[in-house]
Protein backbone atom coordinates (compact mmCIF):
# COMPACT_ATOMS: atom_id res chain seq x y z
CA UNK A 1 0.00 0.00 0.00
CA UNK A 2 1.39 3.42 -0.93
CA UNK A 3 0.03 6.90 -1.46
CA UNK A 4 1.30 10.19 -2.95
CA UNK A 5 2.38 11.24 0.57
CA UNK A 6 3.49 7.92 2.05
CA UNK A 7 6.12 5.33 1.25
CA UNK A 8 5.06 1.71 1.90
CA UNK A 9 6.58 1.63 5.41
CA UNK A 10 4.75 4.76 6.53
CA UNK A 11 1.55 3.57 4.88
CA UNK A 12 1.66 0.47 7.09
CA UNK A 13 2.53 2.25 10.34
CA UNK A 14 0.35 5.38 10.15
CA UNK A 15 -2.97 3.53 10.78
CA UNK A 16 -1.43 1.87 13.83
CA UNK A 17 -0.27 5.24 15.13
CA UNK A 18 -3.69 6.85 14.76
CA UNK A 19 -5.40 3.74 16.16
CA UNK A 20 -3.19 3.95 19.25
CA UNK A 21 -4.22 7.57 19.76
CA UNK A 22 -7.88 6.54 19.47
CA UNK A 23 -7.29 3.81 22.04
CA UNK A 24 -5.54 6.14 24.51
CA UNK A 25 -8.29 8.73 24.30
CA UNK A 26 -11.26 6.34 24.61
CA UNK A 27 -9.57 4.30 27.33
CA UNK A 28 -8.90 7.39 29.41
CA UNK A 29 -12.48 8.58 29.06
CA UNK A 30 -13.74 5.41 30.81
CA UNK A 31 -10.91 4.13 32.99
CA UNK A 32 -11.46 6.94 35.51
CA UNK A 33 -15.03 5.97 36.44
CA UNK A 34 -14.23 2.92 38.58
CA UNK A 35 -11.37 4.77 40.30
CA UNK A 36 -13.43 7.76 41.53
CA UNK A 37 -14.14 6.41 45.06
CA UNK A 38 -10.43 5.58 45.55
CA UNK A 39 -9.46 9.03 44.27
CA UNK A 40 -11.92 10.64 46.67
CA UNK A 41 -10.48 8.73 49.63
CA UNK A 42 -6.92 9.65 48.66
CA UNK A 43 -7.69 13.34 48.09
CA UNK A 44 -9.97 13.76 51.09
CA UNK A 45 -13.06 14.41 48.96
CA UNK A 46 -16.64 13.17 49.02
CA UNK A 47 -17.04 10.25 46.57
CA UNK A 48 -20.42 11.63 45.52
CA UNK A 49 -18.81 14.92 44.47
CA UNK A 50 -16.17 13.71 42.03
CA UNK A 51 -18.11 14.56 38.87
CA UNK A 52 -15.76 17.47 38.09
CA UNK A 53 -13.04 14.93 37.25
CA UNK A 54 -15.27 13.56 34.47
CA UNK A 55 -16.95 16.79 33.38
CA UNK A 56 -13.74 18.81 33.04
CA UNK A 57 -12.39 16.30 30.52
CA UNK A 58 -15.62 16.07 28.50
CA UNK A 59 -16.16 19.81 28.41
CA UNK A 60 -12.59 20.54 27.32
CA UNK A 61 -12.92 18.06 24.48
CA UNK A 62 -16.22 19.63 23.41
CA UNK A 63 -14.75 23.14 23.46
CA UNK A 64 -11.81 22.27 21.22
CA UNK A 65 -13.53 20.03 18.66
CA UNK A 66 -14.77 22.99 16.52
CA UNK A 67 -11.27 24.48 16.40
CA UNK A 68 -9.35 21.27 15.64
CA UNK A 69 -9.76 21.46 11.85
CA UNK A 70 -8.67 25.09 11.64
CA UNK A 71 -5.66 24.44 13.93
CA UNK A 72 -4.58 21.56 11.70
CA UNK A 73 -4.91 23.64 8.53
CA UNK A 74 -2.96 26.45 10.19
CA UNK A 75 -0.04 24.49 11.67
CA UNK A 76 -0.04 21.10 9.91
CA UNK A 77 -1.16 17.63 10.96
CA UNK A 78 2.19 16.28 12.20
CA UNK A 79 3.13 19.21 14.49
CA UNK A 80 -0.39 19.38 15.95
CA UNK A 81 -0.60 15.61 16.45
CA UNK A 82 2.81 15.58 18.16
CA UNK A 83 1.78 18.52 20.34
CA UNK A 84 -1.49 16.74 21.23
CA UNK A 85 0.33 13.58 22.33
CA UNK A 86 2.73 15.65 24.43
CA UNK A 87 -0.10 17.62 26.02
CA UNK A 88 -2.09 14.47 26.75
CA UNK A 89 0.96 12.80 28.32
CA UNK A 90 1.81 15.90 30.35
CA UNK A 91 -1.77 16.10 31.61
CA UNK A 92 -1.65 12.40 32.54
CA UNK A 93 1.51 12.94 34.59
CA UNK A 94 -0.02 15.92 36.38
CA UNK A 95 -3.15 13.87 37.11
CA UNK A 96 -1.01 11.17 38.75
CA UNK A 97 0.84 13.79 40.83
CA UNK A 98 -2.32 15.61 41.94
CA UNK A 99 -2.31 16.44 45.67
CA UNK A 100 -5.88 17.77 45.70
CA UNK A 101 -9.16 17.62 43.79
CA UNK A 102 -8.85 21.12 42.24
CA UNK A 103 -5.33 20.23 41.00
CA UNK A 104 -6.66 17.00 39.51
CA UNK A 105 -9.47 18.85 37.71
CA UNK A 106 -6.94 21.29 36.24
CA UNK A 107 -4.75 18.39 35.08
CA UNK A 108 -7.77 16.73 33.47
CA UNK A 109 -8.39 19.93 31.50
CA UNK A 110 -4.84 19.76 30.14
CA UNK A 111 -5.33 16.09 29.33
CA UNK A 112 -8.63 16.89 27.60
CA UNK A 113 -6.93 19.51 25.42
CA UNK A 114 -4.55 16.87 24.14
CA UNK A 115 -7.31 14.31 23.68
CA UNK A 116 -9.51 16.77 21.82
CA UNK A 117 -6.80 17.30 19.21
CA UNK A 118 -5.42 13.76 18.91
CA UNK A 119 -8.50 12.04 17.52
CA UNK A 120 -9.77 14.54 14.91
CA UNK A 121 -6.25 15.41 13.72
CA UNK A 122 -5.38 11.73 13.43
CA UNK A 123 -8.55 11.06 11.45
CA UNK A 124 -7.86 14.07 9.23
CA UNK A 125 -4.33 12.84 8.49
CA UNK A 126 -5.79 9.53 7.33
CA UNK A 127 -8.32 11.30 5.09
CA UNK A 128 -5.57 13.38 3.48
CA UNK A 129 -2.96 10.65 3.16
CA UNK A 130 -4.95 7.79 1.64
CA UNK A 131 -6.90 7.55 -1.61
CA UNK A 132 -10.68 7.24 -1.35
CA UNK A 133 -10.55 3.63 -2.51
CA UNK A 134 -8.62 2.63 0.64
CA UNK A 135 -10.40 4.83 3.18
CA UNK A 136 -13.08 2.34 4.23
CA UNK A 137 -10.50 -0.32 5.08
CA UNK A 138 -8.19 2.09 6.92
CA UNK A 139 -10.95 3.90 8.85
CA UNK A 140 -12.49 0.58 9.88
CA UNK A 141 -9.12 -0.49 11.27
CA UNK A 142 -8.49 2.66 13.30
CA UNK A 143 -11.99 2.69 14.85
CA UNK A 144 -11.64 -0.80 16.36
CA UNK A 145 -9.56 0.53 19.31
CA UNK A 146 -12.31 3.10 19.94
CA UNK A 147 -14.55 0.12 20.76
CA UNK A 148 -11.93 -1.78 22.76
CA UNK A 149 -11.03 1.22 24.96
CA UNK A 150 -14.45 1.46 26.68
CA UNK A 151 -14.48 -2.34 27.03
CA UNK A 152 -11.16 -2.47 28.90
CA UNK A 153 -11.38 0.88 30.70
CA UNK A 154 -13.58 0.07 33.73
CA UNK A 155 -12.03 -3.34 34.44
CA UNK A 156 -8.45 -2.11 33.91
CA UNK A 157 -9.15 0.86 36.17
CA UNK A 158 -10.52 -1.45 38.84
CA UNK A 159 -7.54 -3.79 38.54
CA UNK A 160 -5.01 -0.95 38.90
CA UNK A 161 -6.83 0.52 41.89
CA UNK A 162 -7.04 -2.86 43.65
CA UNK A 163 -3.49 -4.05 42.98
CA UNK A 164 -1.51 -0.80 42.64
CA UNK A 165 -3.08 2.64 43.14
CA UNK A 166 -5.36 5.00 41.23
CA UNK A 167 -2.32 6.98 40.10
CA UNK A 168 -1.43 4.21 37.65
CA UNK A 169 -4.56 4.76 35.54
CA UNK A 170 -2.78 7.91 34.39
CA UNK A 171 0.85 6.76 34.56
CA UNK A 172 0.25 3.99 32.01
CA UNK A 173 -0.28 6.72 29.40
CA UNK A 174 3.33 7.90 29.69
CA UNK A 175 5.20 5.05 27.94
CA UNK A 176 2.47 4.84 25.30
CA UNK A 177 2.71 8.60 24.76
CA UNK A 178 6.50 8.44 24.43
CA UNK A 179 6.31 5.67 21.84
CA UNK A 180 3.56 7.56 20.03
CA UNK A 181 5.63 10.76 19.91
CA UNK A 182 8.65 8.93 18.47
CA UNK A 183 6.47 7.14 15.94
CA UNK A 184 4.88 10.46 14.93
CA UNK A 185 8.27 11.97 14.18
CA UNK A 186 9.28 8.91 12.18
CA UNK A 187 6.12 7.83 10.36
CA UNK A 188 3.52 10.62 10.20
CA UNK A 189 3.79 12.46 6.88
CA UNK A 190 4.27 16.20 6.74
CA UNK A 191 1.07 16.77 4.79
CA UNK A 192 0.63 20.02 2.86
CA UNK A 193 -1.47 22.76 4.45
CA UNK A 194 -3.67 25.26 2.63
CA UNK A 195 -1.87 28.42 1.63
CA UNK A 196 -4.79 30.41 2.98
CA UNK A 197 -6.77 28.52 5.65
CA UNK A 198 -10.48 29.23 5.86
CA UNK A 199 -11.29 32.02 8.33
CA UNK A 200 -12.11 30.87 11.84
CA UNK A 201 -15.17 32.28 13.60
CA UNK A 202 -13.43 33.42 16.78
CA UNK A 203 -16.39 35.41 18.09
CA UNK A 204 -18.74 32.50 17.45
CA UNK A 205 -16.28 30.13 19.13
CA UNK A 206 -16.21 32.38 22.20
CA UNK A 207 -20.00 32.77 22.41
CA UNK A 208 -20.69 29.09 21.93
CA UNK A 209 -17.96 28.15 24.41
CA UNK A 210 -19.37 30.46 27.08
CA UNK A 211 -22.77 28.84 26.59
CA UNK A 212 -21.36 25.32 27.04
CA UNK A 213 -19.31 26.20 30.12
CA UNK A 214 -22.07 28.24 31.78
CA UNK A 215 -24.77 25.63 31.24
CA UNK A 216 -22.60 22.80 32.55
CA UNK A 217 -21.24 24.76 35.51
CA UNK A 218 -24.77 25.70 36.55
CA UNK A 219 -25.59 22.03 37.13
CA UNK A 220 -22.22 21.30 38.69
CA UNK A 221 -22.54 24.27 41.07
CA UNK A 222 -25.63 22.68 42.57
CA UNK A 223 -24.25 19.14 42.74
CA UNK A 224 -20.62 19.56 43.80
CA UNK A 225 -20.30 23.07 45.19
CA UNK A 226 -23.71 23.22 46.94
CA UNK A 227 -24.32 26.73 45.68
CA UNK A 228 -27.81 28.17 45.99
CA UNK A 229 -30.23 27.80 43.13
CA UNK A 230 -30.58 31.50 42.33
CA UNK A 231 -27.00 32.21 41.14
CA UNK A 232 -26.91 28.88 39.30
CA UNK A 233 -30.15 29.65 37.44
CA UNK A 234 -28.74 33.07 36.56
CA UNK A 235 -25.55 31.42 35.31
CA UNK A 236 -27.58 29.05 33.15
CA UNK A 237 -29.61 31.96 31.73
CA UNK A 238 -26.37 33.81 31.02
CA UNK A 239 -25.25 30.83 28.98
CA UNK A 240 -28.55 30.79 27.08
CA UNK A 241 -28.15 34.50 26.32
CA UNK A 242 -24.74 33.80 24.78
CA UNK A 243 -26.31 31.08 22.65
CA UNK A 244 -29.02 33.47 21.47
CA UNK A 245 -26.41 36.09 20.57
CA UNK A 246 -24.45 33.44 18.69
CA UNK A 247 -27.53 32.45 16.68
CA UNK A 248 -28.36 36.07 15.83
CA UNK A 249 -24.80 36.67 14.74
CA UNK A 250 -24.52 33.41 12.76
CA UNK A 251 -27.49 34.40 10.60
CA UNK A 252 -25.42 37.16 9.02
CA UNK A 253 -21.94 35.57 9.14
CA UNK A 254 -20.45 34.16 5.93
CA UNK A 255 -18.37 31.58 7.84
CA UNK A 256 -20.11 30.79 11.14
CA UNK A 257 -18.77 28.19 13.52
CA UNK A 258 -21.93 26.14 12.89
CA UNK A 259 -24.29 27.07 10.10
CA UNK A 260 -27.89 27.68 11.13
CA UNK A 261 -28.91 26.13 7.80
CA UNK A 262 -28.36 22.81 9.55
CA UNK A 263 -31.55 23.32 11.54
CA UNK A 264 -33.62 23.70 8.40
CA UNK A 265 -33.03 19.97 7.91
CA UNK A 266 -35.76 18.22 9.86
CA UNK A 267 -33.92 15.04 10.77
CA UNK A 268 -30.84 16.95 11.86
CA UNK A 269 -32.89 19.07 14.25
CA UNK A 270 -34.69 16.00 15.65
CA UNK A 271 -31.40 14.14 16.08
CA UNK A 272 -29.57 17.04 17.74
CA UNK A 273 -32.32 17.78 20.26
CA UNK A 274 -32.86 14.07 20.81
CA UNK A 275 -29.15 13.65 21.54
CA UNK A 276 -29.16 16.59 23.91
CA UNK A 277 -32.11 15.56 26.05
CA UNK A 278 -31.86 11.77 25.86
CA UNK A 279 -28.23 11.88 26.97
CA UNK A 280 -29.19 13.95 29.99
CA UNK A 281 -30.83 10.76 31.20
CA UNK A 282 -28.40 8.07 30.12
CA UNK A 283 -25.15 10.00 29.68
CA UNK A 284 -24.50 9.83 33.41
CA UNK A 285 -24.77 6.03 33.66
CA UNK A 286 -21.03 5.30 33.22
CA UNK A 287 -20.37 7.78 36.04
CA UNK A 288 -23.23 6.80 38.36
CA UNK A 289 -23.20 3.00 38.08
CA UNK A 290 -19.60 2.38 39.31
CA UNK A 291 -20.45 4.59 42.29
CA UNK A 292 -23.58 2.54 42.99
CA UNK A 293 -21.60 -0.70 42.86
CA UNK A 294 -18.74 0.51 45.06
CA UNK A 295 -20.20 3.12 47.42
CA UNK A 296 -23.74 1.73 47.50
CA UNK A 297 -23.14 -2.05 47.38
CA UNK A 298 -19.56 -2.29 48.62
CA UNK A 299 -18.05 -3.92 45.50
CA UNK A 300 -14.30 -3.75 45.09
CA UNK A 301 -13.06 -1.54 42.21
CA UNK A 302 -12.05 -4.62 40.21
CA UNK A 303 -15.41 -6.37 40.68
CA UNK A 304 -17.23 -3.17 39.76
CA UNK A 305 -15.15 -2.80 36.60
CA UNK A 306 -15.62 -6.44 35.58
CA UNK A 307 -19.35 -6.11 36.17
CA UNK A 308 -19.56 -3.47 33.46
CA UNK A 309 -18.00 -5.66 30.75
CA UNK A 310 -21.32 -7.30 29.73
CA UNK A 311 -22.77 -3.83 29.19
CA UNK A 312 -20.02 -2.87 26.75
CA UNK A 313 -19.95 -6.26 24.99
CA UNK A 314 -23.71 -6.10 24.44
CA UNK A 315 -23.34 -2.57 23.07
CA UNK A 316 -20.85 -3.83 20.49
CA UNK A 317 -22.82 -6.92 19.46
CA UNK A 318 -26.20 -5.20 19.03
CA UNK A 319 -24.89 -3.03 16.21
CA UNK A 320 -25.37 -6.00 13.88
CA UNK A 321 -29.18 -5.87 14.20
CA UNK A 322 -29.66 -2.12 13.90
CA UNK A 323 -30.06 -2.06 10.12
CA UNK A 324 -32.78 -4.76 10.01
CA UNK A 325 -34.66 -3.06 12.84
CA UNK A 326 -34.54 0.28 11.06
CA UNK A 327 -35.86 -1.26 7.85
CA UNK A 328 -38.73 -2.80 9.76
CA UNK A 329 -39.68 0.06 12.10
CA UNK A 330 -38.08 3.20 10.68
CA UNK A 331 -36.32 5.83 12.76
CA UNK A 332 -39.46 7.40 14.17
CA UNK A 333 -40.95 4.37 15.91
CA UNK A 334 -37.65 2.66 16.66
CA UNK A 335 -36.31 5.68 18.52
CA UNK A 336 -39.61 6.46 20.23
CA UNK A 337 -40.06 2.90 21.54
CA UNK A 338 -36.37 2.42 22.30
CA UNK A 339 -36.20 5.68 24.29
CA UNK A 340 -39.17 4.55 26.38
CA UNK A 341 -37.42 1.22 26.98
CA UNK A 342 -34.22 3.03 27.83
CA UNK A 343 -35.96 5.17 30.44
CA UNK A 344 -37.61 2.09 31.96
CA UNK A 345 -34.28 0.27 32.15
CA UNK A 346 -32.58 3.24 33.82
CA UNK A 347 -35.38 3.30 36.38
CA UNK A 348 -34.95 -0.47 36.84
CA UNK A 349 -31.48 0.18 38.29
CA UNK A 350 -33.33 1.48 41.35
CA UNK A 351 -34.25 -2.12 42.25
CA UNK A 352 -30.60 -3.09 42.74
CA UNK A 353 -29.66 -3.56 46.40
CA UNK A 354 -27.55 -5.87 48.56
CA UNK A 355 -30.11 -8.67 48.18
CA UNK A 356 -30.19 -8.60 44.37
CA UNK A 357 -28.58 -11.76 42.92
CA UNK A 358 -25.42 -10.93 41.03
CA UNK A 359 -26.56 -12.74 37.83
CA UNK A 360 -29.64 -10.51 37.76
CA UNK A 361 -27.42 -7.42 37.98
CA UNK A 362 -25.33 -8.66 35.06
CA UNK A 363 -28.48 -9.45 33.07
CA UNK A 364 -29.81 -5.92 33.61
CA UNK A 365 -26.46 -4.43 32.57
CA UNK A 366 -26.47 -6.56 29.41
CA UNK A 367 -29.96 -5.53 28.33
CA UNK A 368 -29.23 -1.90 29.13
CA UNK A 369 -26.04 -2.03 27.05
CA UNK A 370 -27.99 -3.34 24.05
CA UNK A 371 -30.75 -0.73 24.28
CA UNK A 372 -28.30 2.07 24.99
CA UNK A 373 -26.12 1.20 21.98
CA UNK A 374 -29.18 0.98 19.75
CA UNK A 375 -30.24 4.42 20.97
CA UNK A 376 -26.91 6.11 20.29
CA UNK A 377 -26.39 4.58 16.87
CA UNK A 378 -29.91 5.30 15.63
CA UNK A 379 -29.90 8.86 17.00
CA UNK A 380 -26.57 9.74 15.45
CA UNK A 381 -27.36 8.17 12.08
CA UNK A 382 -30.70 10.00 11.94
CA UNK A 383 -28.90 13.27 12.64
CA UNK A 384 -26.52 12.85 9.69
CA UNK A 385 -28.97 11.10 7.37
CA UNK A 386 -30.04 13.99 5.15
CA UNK A 387 -27.05 16.33 5.39
CA UNK A 388 -25.84 17.60 1.99
CA UNK A 389 -22.11 17.47 1.30
CA UNK A 390 -21.82 21.23 1.83
CA UNK A 391 -23.00 20.90 5.45
CA UNK A 392 -21.67 17.43 6.30
CA UNK A 393 -18.49 18.62 8.05
CA UNK A 394 -20.24 21.32 10.08
CA UNK A 395 -23.09 18.99 11.03
CA UNK A 396 -20.79 16.18 12.12
CA UNK A 397 -18.72 18.61 14.19
CA UNK A 398 -21.81 20.03 15.91
CA UNK A 399 -23.09 16.52 16.64
CA UNK A 400 -19.75 15.60 18.24
CA UNK A 401 -19.88 18.73 20.39
CA UNK A 402 -23.48 18.11 21.48
CA UNK A 403 -22.63 14.52 22.38
CA UNK A 404 -19.83 15.61 24.71
CA UNK A 405 -21.72 18.53 26.25
CA UNK A 406 -24.88 16.52 26.86
CA UNK A 407 -22.95 13.72 28.56
CA UNK A 408 -21.15 16.28 30.73
CA UNK A 409 -24.43 17.98 31.62
CA UNK A 410 -25.95 14.57 32.32
CA UNK A 411 -23.15 13.75 34.77
CA UNK A 412 -23.56 17.15 36.46
CA UNK A 413 -27.34 16.74 36.59
CA UNK A 414 -27.09 13.22 38.08
CA UNK A 415 -24.58 14.39 40.68
CA UNK A 416 -26.85 17.29 41.66
CA UNK A 417 -29.87 14.98 42.01
CA UNK A 418 -27.86 12.41 43.99
CA UNK A 419 -26.59 15.07 46.36
CA UNK A 420 -30.09 16.49 46.93
CA UNK A 421 -31.39 13.06 47.87
CA UNK A 422 -28.37 11.89 49.90
CA UNK A 423 -27.39 15.03 51.81
CA UNK A 424 -24.74 13.90 54.29
CA UNK A 425 -25.61 10.20 53.99
CA UNK A 426 -22.32 9.12 52.45
CA UNK A 427 -21.61 6.06 54.61
CA UNK A 428 -20.87 3.28 52.12
CA UNK A 429 -23.67 0.73 52.00
CA UNK A 430 -26.03 2.70 54.23
CA UNK A 431 -29.77 2.33 53.46
CA UNK A 432 -30.11 6.10 53.15
CA UNK A 433 -27.35 6.31 50.54
CA UNK A 434 -28.73 3.38 48.57
CA UNK A 435 -32.17 5.00 48.59
CA UNK A 436 -30.62 8.19 47.23
CA UNK A 437 -29.14 6.21 44.34
CA UNK A 438 -32.53 4.62 43.66
CA UNK A 439 -34.31 7.97 43.54
CA UNK A 440 -31.62 9.37 41.25
CA UNK A 441 -32.15 6.52 38.79
CA UNK A 442 -35.90 7.17 38.88
CA UNK A 443 -35.30 10.80 37.92
CA UNK A 444 -32.85 9.96 35.13
CA UNK A 445 -35.27 7.40 33.76
CA UNK A 446 -38.06 9.97 33.76
CA UNK A 447 -35.85 12.43 31.83
CA UNK A 448 -35.16 9.77 29.19
CA UNK A 449 -38.85 8.86 28.89
CA UNK A 450 -39.85 12.51 28.39
CA UNK A 451 -37.26 12.92 25.64
CA UNK A 452 -38.95 10.17 23.61
CA UNK A 453 -41.56 12.64 22.33
CA UNK A 454 -38.84 14.43 20.32
CA UNK A 455 -38.45 11.46 17.99
CA UNK A 456 -42.12 11.53 17.01
CA UNK A 457 -41.16 14.53 14.86
CA UNK A 458 -39.15 12.28 12.50
CA UNK A 459 -40.86 11.25 9.26
CA UNK A 460 -42.61 7.88 8.94
CA UNK A 461 -40.58 6.95 5.85
CA UNK A 462 -37.13 7.44 7.37
CA UNK A 463 -35.38 4.13 7.88
CA UNK A 464 -36.86 2.43 4.82
CA UNK A 465 -34.59 0.89 2.20
CA UNK A 466 -34.45 4.26 0.48
CA UNK A 467 -33.17 5.89 3.67
CA UNK A 468 -30.93 3.10 4.92
CA UNK A 469 -28.08 4.29 7.19
CA UNK A 470 -25.26 5.75 5.16
CA UNK A 471 -22.87 6.77 7.89
CA UNK A 472 -21.28 5.10 10.82
CA UNK A 473 -21.92 6.31 14.30
CA UNK A 474 -19.44 9.00 15.40
CA UNK A 475 -17.01 7.85 18.05
CA UNK A 476 -18.53 7.88 21.53
CA UNK A 477 -16.51 8.97 24.76
CA UNK A 478 -18.50 7.16 27.27
CA UNK A 479 -21.06 4.46 27.10
Amino acid sequence: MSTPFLDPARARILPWLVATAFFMETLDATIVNTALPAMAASLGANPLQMEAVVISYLLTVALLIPASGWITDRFGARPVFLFAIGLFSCGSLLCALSPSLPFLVGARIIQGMGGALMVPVGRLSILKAYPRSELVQVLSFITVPALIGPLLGPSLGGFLVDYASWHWIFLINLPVGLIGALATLRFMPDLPVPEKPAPFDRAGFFLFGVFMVSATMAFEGIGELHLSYTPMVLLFLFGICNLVVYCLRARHDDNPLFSLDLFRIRNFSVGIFGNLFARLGNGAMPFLTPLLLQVGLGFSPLKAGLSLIPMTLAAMLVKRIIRPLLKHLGYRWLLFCNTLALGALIAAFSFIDQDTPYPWILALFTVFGMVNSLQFTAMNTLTLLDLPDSLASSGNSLLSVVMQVSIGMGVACAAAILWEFSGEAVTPGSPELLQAFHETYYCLGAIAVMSSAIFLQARHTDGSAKHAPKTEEPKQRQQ
Side-chain angles (χ1 to χ4, degrees):
M1 181 191 301
S2 62
T3 79
F5 303 111
L6 300 177
D7 56 57
R10 289 187 175 187
R12 289 193 301 269
I13 298 298
L14 180 58
W16 285 94
L17 176 60
V18 177
T20 302
F22 272 51
F23 178 76
M24 287 175 61
E25 201 275 334
T26 56
L27 177 71
D28 216 76
T30 54
I31 196 173
V32 170
N33 293 323
T34 47
L36 290 177
M39 289 181 184
S42 174
L43 300 176
N46 187 328
L48 304 186
Q49 297 176 269
M50 295 292 290
E51 70 271 16
V53 177
V54 178
I55 294 171
S56 56
Y57 186 88
L58 292 170
L59 193 56
T60 303
V61 170
L63 282 170
L64 286 183
I65 284 176
S68 60
W70 179 85
I71 293 173
T72 304
D73 286 343
R74 178 68 176 81
F75 299 103
R78 184 166 68 176
V80 173
F81 193 75
L82 183 63
F83 174 75
I85 291 177
L87 202 59
F88 187 85
S89 301
C90 179
S92 298
L93 177 60
L94 291 175
C95 286
L97 298 176
S98 297
S100 64
L101 180 57
F103 191 99
L104 177 59
V105 171
R108 286 284 281 174
I109 291 174
I110 296 174
Q111 196 182 37
M113 293 170 64
L117 292 174
M118 273 197 311
V119 171
V121 173
R123 185 188 293 115
L124 186 60
S125 68
I126 293 292
L127 292 175
K128 289 186 175 183
Y130 288 87
R132 298 295 185 201
S133 59
E134 298 177 3
L135 276 182
V136 173
Q137 178 184 354
V138 177
L139 289 176
S140 296
F141 173 79
I142 66 173
T143 53
V144 170
L147 301 175
I148 297 176
L151 176 64
L152 295 180
S155 53
L156 179 59
F159 175 83
L160 291 173
V161 170
D162 268 358
Y163 293 98
S165 72
W166 64 265
H167 307 83
W168 283 96
I169 68 175
F170 300 110
L171 290 175
I172 60 173
N173 291 328
L174 300 184
V176 179
L178 177 60
I179 295 172
L182 295 175
T184 300
L185 291 171
R186 173 66 179 85
F187 295 105
M188 178 164 278
D190 192 11
L191 298 172
V193 298
E195 293 184 7
K196 189 176 181 181
F200 183 65
D201 183 11
R202 292 179 175 83
F205 179 75
F206 174 79
L207 291 169
F208 201 83
V210 170
F211 156 69
M212 290 192 291
V213 173
S214 300
T216 305
M217 290 300 297
F219 285 107
E220 189 179 358
I222 296 172
E224 181 178 5
L225 304 177
H226 319 311
L227 301 178
S228 64
Y229 286 100
T230 300
M232 293 301 96
V233 171
L234 292 176
L235 180 61
F236 184 80
L237 292 176
F238 173 71
I240 296 297
C241 288
N242 277 270
L243 179 62
V244 171
V245 173
Y246 169 81
C247 292
L248 294 174
R249 183 181 175 278
R251 293 176 58 186
H252 307 289
D253 196 307
D254 293 334
N255 295 286
L257 190 67
F258 303 112
S259 174
L260 296 186
D261 290 340
L262 290 166
F263 292 95
R264 296 179 181 177
I265 302 170
R266 182 175 180 175
N267 282 338
F268 183 85
S269 298
V270 172
I272 283 293
F273 286 108
N275 263 282
L276 180 61
F277 290 102
R279 289 177 193 270
L280 286 179
N282 64 353
M285 297 296 283
F287 161 78
L288 193 63
T289 303
L291 286 180
L292 168 69
L293 296 178
Q294 294 180 71
V295 182
L297 302 183
F299 284 20
S300 69
L302 179 57
K303 185 178 180 180
L306 292 174
S307 300
L308 298 176
I309 289 180
M311 189 183 298
T312 309
L313 281 176
M316 296 169 62
L317 294 175
V318 79
K319 294 181 185 297
R320 295 178 176 271
I321 68 171
I322 292 176
R323 189 183 295 269
L325 282 175
L326 283 172
K327 288 183 177 180
H328 182 66
L329 296 174
Y331 283 98
R332 178 176 183 174
W333 292 111
L334 175 63
L335 280 169
F336 175 72
C337 296
N338 196 77
T339 309
L340 291 177
L342 186 66
L345 285 168
I346 293 173
F349 277 64
S350 62
F351 292 101
I352 297 176
D353 56 27
Q354 286 92 343
D355 298 324
T356 305
Y358 188 59
W360 282 103
I361 295 177
L362 297 182
L364 176 59
F365 287 3
T366 301
V367 177
F368 173 79
M370 296 173 62
V371 174
N372 198 39
S373 177
L374 182 60
Q375 182 78 16
F376 282 168
T377 302
M379 279 195 310
N380 296 338
T381 309
L382 174 68
T383 308
L384 304 176
L385 186 67
D386 294 331
L387 288 183
D389 291 342
S390 60
L391 295 174
S393 178
S394 179
N396 187 59
S397 179
L398 179 57
L399 174 60
S400 299
V401 170
V402 169
M403 287 167 60
Q404 301 307 312
V405 171
S406 58
I407 293 173
M409 291 178 64
V411 171
C413 182
I417 296 171
L418 181 61
W419 177 258
E420 288 297 320
F421 284 128
S422 66
E424 299 297 331
V426 293
T427 303
S430 67
E432 296 82 8
L433 180 59
L434 198 56
Q435 181 63 26
F437 273 104
H438 292 169
E439 292 168 338
T440 302
Y441 280 116
Y442 276 129
C443 292
L444 295 179
I447 293 173
V449 166
M450 287 187 292
S451 69
S452 64
I454 296 173
F455 299 108
L456 291 176
Q457 306 306 311
R459 292 188 296 267
H460 288 280
T461 56
D462 290 335
S464 63
K466 180 181 178 181
H467 290 84
K470 297 178 288 186
T471 49
E472 294 294 326
E473 176 187 13
K475 184 179 72 66
Q476 293 169 205
R477 306 257 168 197
Q478 286 187 324
Q479 292 191 41

